Amino acid sequence: MHNHISLKRNLLISLIVVILSLKLLSGCGTYLYPSPAYLVGIIVLPSTMDLEVGESQYINSVTAYYSDSSTANIPLSYCTYYSYNPSCINVNSSGLITGVSTGSTTIMVVYTEGTVSKTDTIIVTVTAVITPVVLTSIEVLPSSMNLNVGETQTISSVTAFYDNSSSANINLAACNYSSSNPACSTVNNSGTISRISEGTAAITVSYNDEVINVFSHAEYKRLLTTNQYIVLTSCHSSQECMELSPVTPDDFDPFGVFTMALCAGCGYYGSYPADTNMDTMVSLQEAYLYVKSYVAELDAQLPYISITQDVQVYPSNSSFAIVEY
């Protein structure tokens, strides 16, 4: 009986040892694989887009975000695109968005991995193409004057006509004047004609609104040809503005030729050389003349660079103060 109990006890101990050994062996041989990362969202850039009718632009990027905090750039061709208003905005399978008509709508971008799909949107606004109008002719009234010696008379009006059939009254100070016979009749910058002696003279009136064309839309041209606006530009619209490299790295002085000239003339270096009449004020005309001269002189000093930019001003001969000190 005692031997039988001892045998059972030995068998039980052996069984426990075997079970523990199996557990230890099982634990040593088991590898727990981490759960695969899954798609949690996408971000599409840009989030907004502005186009003109007929203009096209690609989506910049689609970025996927995953559950393990990793990210990935997704090729645009991997996504699907939907326009909420195809008559306004069209989008193709490559992510190219095209403005069809004026308005605003939303583009939905869908990216799918396995059974998981995520979306993001772009708000697109389409505006009409603005074509600047072109000056075709001007009309000066009166067309003739009869003055006695010593009399003066100011031109009553100058009207500009444009290629879209619109017209605008031009400020007399915005025009240029010349006399074919100054000994007989003279004309000043305000369009006032003076009779000096007997005889006949032709007064030529010219007007060039290239500067205004660049800065205006057709519907606002009437405003831009009044004295409510002044414009000083570095060059014609067909030219490029010259930039000069800084002398030393991280030197943030103005190194565009036009900017250098304007800053130098208007007190950037502590003096105001553009103020030619020394009235503690730099007028638009003074700034224009200084910058124009500065650019021409720099071009002469650096012939190997060829600085070709014609400074523009509107209106001419303006006394408007752009700097006071």
Side-chain angles (χ1 to χ4, degrees):
M1 185 69 176
H2 178 73
N3 289 337
H4 183 64
I5 292 173
S6 297
L7 180 59
K8 283 185 176 182
R9 182 180 300 164
N10 290 336
L11 287 172
L12 179 59
I13 291 172
S14 298
L15 182 60
I16 291 172
V17 171
V18 169
I19 292 173
L20 288 175
S21 299
L22 288 173
K23 284 188 175 182
L24 288 173
L25 290 172
S26 175
C28 292
T30 301
Y31 181 78
L32 299 177
Y33 292 93
S35 300
Y38 56 89
L39 182 69
V40 295
I42 63 170
I43 291 182
V44 178
L45 293 177
S47 58
T48 62
M49 190 180 292
D50 295 314
L51 300 174
E52 290 184 344
V53 173
E55 183 182 6
S56 298
Q57 182 178 326
Y58 277 100
I59 291 170
N60 291 348
S61 65
V62 178
T63 304
Y65 291 79
Y66 296 92
S67 58
D68 62 353
S69 300
S70 63
T71 62
N73 292 324
I74 304 303
L76 298 183
S77 59
Y78 287 14
C79 299
T80 306
Y81 306 92
Y82 302 95
S83 172
Y84 285 14
N85 185 1
S87 64
C88 175
I89 306 291
N90 179 55
V91 57
N92 68 14
S93 59
S94 299
L96 181 66
I97 299 174
T98 302
V100 179
S101 63
T102 57
S104 182
T105 193
T106 300
I107 299 296
M108 177 183 287
V109 182
V110 182
Y111 174 61
T112 302
E113 279 191 5
T115 60
V116 179
S117 294
K118 296 299 176 180
T119 66
D120 197 9
T121 58
I122 302 173
I123 297 174
V124 184
T125 301
V126 182
T127 56
V129 178
I130 303 298
T131 303
V133 296
V134 177
L135 177 69
T136 57
S137 64
I138 64 172
E139 180 184 58
V140 179
L141 294 176
S143 58
S144 64
M145 290 183 186
N146 292 313
L147 300 177
N148 294 321
V149 175
E151 285 187 330
T152 62
Q153 183 177 339
T154 301
I155 292 171
S156 58
S157 67
V158 177
T159 304
F161 295 91
Y162 300 91
D163 64 351
N164 67 344
S165 300
S166 66
S167 62
N169 292 324
I170 305 303
N171 191 318
L172 296 181
C175 298
N176 295 314
Y177 306 91
S178 64
S179 172
S180 65
N181 187 2
C184 171
S185 298
T186 61
V187 58
N188 66 17
N189 292 332
S190 300
T192 299
I193 300 170
S194 302
R195 183 68 176 270
I196 306 301
S197 64
E198 296 295 334
T200 302
I203 302 299
T204 300
V205 182
S206 60
Y207 172 65
N208 182 356
D209 71 344
E210 178 184 358
V211 173
I212 301 307
N213 253 333
V214 174
F215 284 86
S216 67
H217 299 325
E219 59 266 35
Y220 299 131
K221 184 168 289 297
R222 294 180 189 274
L223 292 177
L224 280 169
T225 50
T226 72
N227 58 9
Q228 296 180 49
Y229 295 87
I230 65 169
V231 180
L232 181 63
T233 71
S234 63
C235 62
H236 281 286
S237 58
S238 60
Q239 298 173 330
E240 293 184 353
C241 301
M242 177 61 68
E243 297 287 330
L244 299 180
S245 300
V247 177
T248 58
D250 301 322
D251 190 339
F252 295 102
D253 280 354
F255 280 98
V257 173
F258 172 82
T259 307
M260 283 177 63
L262 184 61
C263 290
C266 295
Y268 186 84
Y269 298 108
S271 61
Y272 297 81
D275 182 17
T276 54
N277 62 2
M278 303 298 290
D279 63 351
T280 69
M281 176 184 75
V282 178
S283 69
L284 176 67
Q285 181 67 10
E286 286 177 321
Y288 162 68
L289 293 175
Y290 181 84
V291 173
K292 183 178 180 180
S293 174
Y294 188 107
V295 172
E297 290 177 4
L298 191 61
D299 183 32
Q301 295 171 14
L302 305 172
Y304 55 90
I305 293 181
S306 183
I307 303 171
T308 305
Q309 58 186 84
D310 299 311
V311 181
Q312 302 286 289
V313 68
Y314 176 85
S316 58
N317 301 310
S318 172
S319 60
F320 181 86
I322 61 173
V323 174
E324 294 184 3
Y325 62 97

